Amino acid sequence: MTTFAELGLIPELCGALERAGYTTPTPIQQRAIPALLDGGDVLAAAQTGTGKTAAFALPLLQRLHAQGRGSRAPRVLILCPTRELAAQIDASIQKYGTALKIRSTVIFGGVGQNPQVEALRRGVDMLVATPGRLLDLHGQGALDLSQLQTLVLDEADRMLDMGFIHDIRRVLKLLPAQRQNLLFSATFSKDIERLARGLLRDPLSIDVAPRNAPAEAVTQHALDCDKGDKRRMLSALIRGESWRQTLVFTRTKHGANRLAKQLMSDGLTAAAIHGNKSQTARTKALAGFKDGNIDVLVATDIAARGIDIKELPQVVNYELPNVPADYVHRIGRTGRAQASGQAVSLVDAEESKLLRDIERLLGRKLPRMSLSEAAREAYANPPTPIEVAPEAAPQRPAGARKPRPPRGDGQAPAPGRRRRNRGGRGGGGRGRGQGEGRR
Ligand code: AMP
């Protein structure tokens, strides 16, 4: 078995990896680290979870370390689509580089720019950034890109999906022509191939992910629904389809609270998390959701940021987000790595413009979901409400059904049959639209 030292990493980095509990390099690390230490370009098909961050961060840290202290301008730029990912990458760099004197910082939009400007002024070797804020700060003269040696495009497919191609092209024009380029993407559309062709010189191709697999892993649907009918529809979907671990997004904190309570009165186990809840309450709700004691977590966009659950099967947009990119963030929480997931958006008439904006961002129409027979039955047979205490703990109420089939009227088929029927008469939500999803 190859070790990190055998790949050519210096003891300072190997020590940090040992402390982080990494014993063996992952396949992408085995291939990328030696190539990047040599200064070559790399084109990698890799999803989150493959160890791709360390695959580029470690050799780039080592090269900067070998060069010694530079000027204040960054020598490595890592562009990525979201602030969460940017923060994660920066945290990894800090972790791996503890024994080195490499300065790294992260800049992204949505927060005040002054601390970021200040950090750039102090000097930075590795810069992690989302494209918009990078261009803003460069436009203001707060960022010098003339010393750049290496550009990393991480999650390039998501960046294109989120409409960043023009920003990326603008950034490219600001960089020195002589540089090392790395492109990481989970999926490979024609646009990505074109971008890669224009960017990379004689790249080493690494493929540790089945190409375009995530596109099949997440199915996305819209479901037209009257505003006043959404709660009943959501409850019917969860009960009828036997959904577990459903993350539901609402726009407001109040809406999240109310919905969680209503779902509990339907006999489901639900909890709300949002900015008004104490950290303890949020942590508790999240733990319950992760270990399967809470089936439905109702969250606002902000509160959901920290949620990282492997194999989260269901995401529901109870209300569409005002910002189209938030849609991408929301559904990015399902179907991670090899797990499959489904994202459903309940869309009322007032939201049709929001849906159009999202579809424009995705570059395609969201297919409409057809209700399965089981969901139709659950919708037709709403449960008798259960009394829910005002501050009820999110536990399964005594005597409450698990969210399997609806109680119905005695005519409901047995769960086994229900399963087989899925995708039957009603067309089924699952299994349809395979290949239409994206990441
Ligand atoms: P990434 O694909 O970069 O998002 O990394 C996925 C996760 O794997 C992160 O939590 C890393 O800390 C972890 N990781 C990366 N490389 C290794 C390794 N060689 N051994 C163990 N864990 C790793």
Side-chain angles (χ1 to χ4, degrees), residues 223-241 243 263 266 316 318 344 346-347 369 371 375-376 378-379:
L223 182 58
D224 295 317
C225 193
D226 285 344
K227 194 172 183 175
D229 212 28
K230 283 189 175 182
R231 188 196 67 72
R232 181 169 168 182
M233 182 58 79
L234 174 64
S235 169
L237 285 170
I238 296 171
R239 290 178 296 116
E241 304 278 6
W243 281 352
L263 293 173
D266 281 356
V316 177
Y318 189 73
V344 177
L346 303 182
V347 184
M369 180 183 186
L371 288 184
R376 280 172 204 271
Y379 181 82

Side-chain angles (χ1 to χ4, degrees), residues 65-126:
H65 175 72
Q67 289 172 9
R69 202 175 176 90
S71 67
R72 282 188 296 182
R75 287 172 282 169
V76 170
L77 170 64
I78 300 152
L79 276 186
C80 64
T82 66
R83 62 179 91 173
E84 295 98 316
L85 182 60
Q88 255 172 46
I89 296 171
D90 184 54
S92 298
I93 292 172
Q94 306 275 357
K95 180 166 74 177
Y96 306 144
T98 41
L100 308 178
K101 291 197 171 64
I102 304 297
R103 303 160 298 178
S104 88
T105 198
V106 58
I107 60 178
F108 47 69
V111 296
Q113 66 169 46
N114 288 352
Q116 299 176 358
V117 170
E118 200 38 54
L120 292 175
R121 194 173 303 141
R122 283 196 299 273
V124 52
D125 303 305
M126 285 180 104

Side-chain angles (χ1 to χ4, degrees), residues 406-418:
R407 183 156 40 207
D409 51 10
Q411 313 249 330
R417 201 190 125 208
R418 208 180 283 282

Side-chain angles (χ1 to χ4, degrees), residues 4 21-26 29 47-54 95-96:
F4 284 107
Y22 298 9
T23 50
T24 326
T26 65
Q29 290 162 3
Q47 305 163 8
T48 302
T50 53
K52 66 185 169 72
T53 312
K95 180 166 74 177
Y96 306 144

Side-chain angles (χ1 to χ4, degrees), residues 101-171:
K101 291 197 171 64
I102 304 297
R103 303 160 298 178
S104 88
T105 198
V106 58
I107 60 178
F108 47 69
V111 296
Q113 66 169 46
N114 288 352
Q116 299 176 358
V117 170
E118 200 38 54
L120 292 175
R121 194 173 303 141
R122 283 196 299 273
V124 52
D125 303 305
M126 285 180 104
L127 178 62
V128 188
T130 53
R133 178 58 64 94
L134 182 91
L135 287 167
D136 271 1
L137 295 186
H138 185 270
Q140 294 170 32
L143 174 61
D144 173 5
L145 290 169
S146 67
Q147 303 304 308
L148 203 87
Q149 299 171 357
T150 305
L151 170 71
V152 183
L153 296 183
D154 193 17
E155 302 209 352
D157 49 350
R158 280 183 85 191
M159 286 203 274
L160 295 202
D161 285 345
M162 289 169 70
F164 284 143
I165 185 65
H166 299 298
D167 282 354
I168 291 174
R169 295 212 182 279
R170 283 171 63 202
V171 173

Side-chain angles (χ1 to χ4, degrees), residues 331-395:
I331 69 148
R333 294 175 193 290
T334 182
R336 293 200 168 182
Q338 296 305 320
S340 64
Q342 176 168 230
V344 177
S345 301
L346 303 182
V347 184
D348 65 45
E350 288 170 26
E351 293 173 307
S352 54
K353 180 176 177 315
L354 293 176
L355 181 64
R356 273 201 306 279
D357 290 346
I358 288 166
E359 289 178 331
R360 197 168 309 129
L361 180 69
L362 298 176
R364 67 185 183 88
K365 289 227 168 278
L366 284 185
R368 292 301 189 264
M369 180 183 186
S370 325
L371 288 184
S372 69
E373 192 180 342
R376 280 172 204 271
E377 263 178 55
Y379 181 82
N381 300 294
T384 317
I386 294 169
E387 187 89 22
V388 178
E391 268 310 308
Q395 281 157 5

